[in-house]
Amino acid sequence: MVTSFLTSYFLIPVTKNLGEKFNFFDLPDERKLHSKLIVRLGGVPIFFGFFFGLLSVFLTGVLEPYSLENISSFGKILILSSTAIFFLGLLDDLFKLSPRFRLIFQFFVASFAWFNELKIESLNLSFIYPPLHQFQLPIVISFLITIFWIVGTINAFNWIDGVDGLASGLFIIASFSFFIIEFNNGVQYLSCILASLIGSVIAFLIFNYNPAKILMGDSGSYFLGFNLAIISFISSTDADLGLNFEVVLLIMFIPIIDMAYVIFNRIQKGKSPFIPDKTHLHHRLLESGLNQKETVKIIWG
């Protein structure tokens, strides 16, 4: 965590300077809250901070349980898949890809994860009916639930990134919650992945809190959203237990409910659910008279 924090912290000013030199700015418009040009490449130092954090574990040579050979295949596929999603977001930040291409690529990576055993195979529905603590899903249903969960979480996290520090703070809260669960369950490789993610995002939050000096962009929101989506059920897969829907919903409540509300509201008004508007939770709090810092603190709370 310390290594990922330091790497990300020292890379952010470098990334910011490069972004300013090559004009990789997030342009203000009627929906965005900032009125000046801000570099949108914050996902880059987050990504490299994460990997240097993991690399520091591999190079110690004294923590045998954490060696590369002992990492679960789930962890290796998670790292590979999240890297692909990061580069999708980075290309969008640099060259503005079409929404259709981005969505198709997200479904492709989600399908790749499912075919490599990163999947939701069973659900813990004991809160509905006690004997259904491990309700096995048919293969087709497992595939559909998994890929829509992954793609939905990626975009939910991308949509919530509308106020300085909001998305990065929510990610830290959710990841720390998952870290407590995985560390107590002795899932060592996932604890390392979460610790490395948390460290890099804490460093980013220092620069992203209002007034933001840099934005995470799609590269950051896609990368973090994908990791949250997978982490929410990867430990259940390892332990051969059903996905504990109650716990996952509690930890990821804000982005999930916000996306569900926005989509339902747009469809109800006869609009496309993919056309941006100002109906997100943070928009409504701001319209009530709160400032950005107050809005962020309330949603974090």
Side-chain angles (χ1 to χ4, degrees), residues 17 30 69 88 114-115 157 169 173 189 200 257 267:
N17 291 335
E30 66 277 1
E69 294 76 17
L88 171 69
W114 186 87
F115 281 107
F157 202 77
I173 294 169
Y189 76 92
S200 62
I257 295 302
I267 293 175

Side-chain angles (χ1 to χ4, degrees), residues 78-95:
L78 170 60
I79 293 170
L80 179 63
S81 303
S82 62
T83 299
I85 285 292
F86 163 76
F87 279 107
L88 171 69
L90 181 60
L91 288 173
D92 186 48
D93 289 332
L94 298 177
F95 307 112

Side-chain angles (χ1 to χ4, degrees), residues 106-127:
Q106 289 171 10
F107 274 109
F108 173 79
V109 175
S111 300
F112 171 80
W114 186 87
F115 281 107
N116 283 276
E117 301 304 318
L118 285 183
K119 62 179 72 170
I120 300 173
E121 294 184 283
S122 59
L123 298 175
N124 184 345
L125 301 177
S126 57
F127 63 97

Side-chain angles (χ1 to χ4, degrees), residues 63-275:
L63 298 174
E64 182 60 29
Y66 300 97
S67 68
L68 184 61
E69 294 76 17
N70 287 330
I71 290 184
S72 164
S73 61
F74 298 130
K76 295 174 184 176
I77 297 300
L78 170 60
I79 293 170
L80 179 63
S81 303
S82 62
T83 299
I85 285 292
F86 163 76
F87 279 107
L88 171 69
L90 181 60
L91 288 173
D92 186 48
D93 289 332
L94 298 177
F95 307 112
K96 287 299 171 189
L97 305 174
S98 73
R100 178 177 295 181
F101 176 82
R102 296 199 307 265
L103 194 62
I104 291 173
F105 192 87
Q106 289 171 10
F107 274 109
F108 173 79
V109 175
S111 300
F112 171 80
W114 186 87
F115 281 107
N116 283 276
E117 301 304 318
L118 285 183
K119 62 179 72 170
I120 300 173
E121 294 184 283
S122 59
L123 298 175
N124 184 345
L125 301 177
S126 57
F127 63 97
I128 298 175
Y129 182 57
L132 295 178
H133 59 88
Q134 191 172 345
F135 179 71
Q136 289 297 131
L137 298 172
I139 292 178
V140 174
I141 302 300
S142 168
F143 176 75
L144 292 175
I145 288 179
T146 301
I147 63 172
F148 277 103
W149 173 256
I150 293 172
V151 173
T153 305
I154 291 172
N155 289 285
F157 202 77
N158 179 255
W159 288 4
I160 204 73
D161 183 29
V163 183
D164 295 345
L166 178 58
S168 45
L170 285 176
F171 181 85
I172 292 168
I173 294 169
S175 295
F176 189 69
S177 302
F178 283 121
F179 176 81
I180 293 172
I181 295 170
E182 303 313 324
F183 187 79
N184 287 334
N185 288 339
V187 185
Q188 296 173 330
Y189 76 92
L190 197 51
S191 298
C192 281
I193 287 173
L194 283 163
S196 199
L197 285 168
I198 293 168
S200 62
V201 179
I202 289 175
F204 173 76
L205 180 58
I206 295 173
F207 294 87
N208 185 236
Y209 192 65
N210 184 260
K213 301 175 181 63
I214 190 171
L215 304 176
M216 69 169 63
D218 286 347
S219 60
S221 62
Y222 284 9
F223 176 71
L224 298 180
F226 179 85
N227 276 284
L228 267 187
I230 298 293
I231 287 168
S232 66
F233 64 78
I234 191 175
S235 60
S236 295
T237 307
D238 259 353
D240 197 29
L241 298 173
L243 173 65
N244 194 326
F245 183 75
E246 291 172 287
V247 173
V248 172
L249 181 61
L250 176 64
I251 292 175
M252 301 171 65
F253 185 81
I254 295 293
I256 291 173
I257 295 302
D258 180 69
M259 183 177 71
Y261 171 84
V262 168
I263 290 176
F264 177 78
N265 187 64
R266 290 173 185 172
I267 293 175
Q268 191 179 39
K269 293 180 178 179
K271 299 178 180 178
S272 168
F274 302 107
I275 295 179

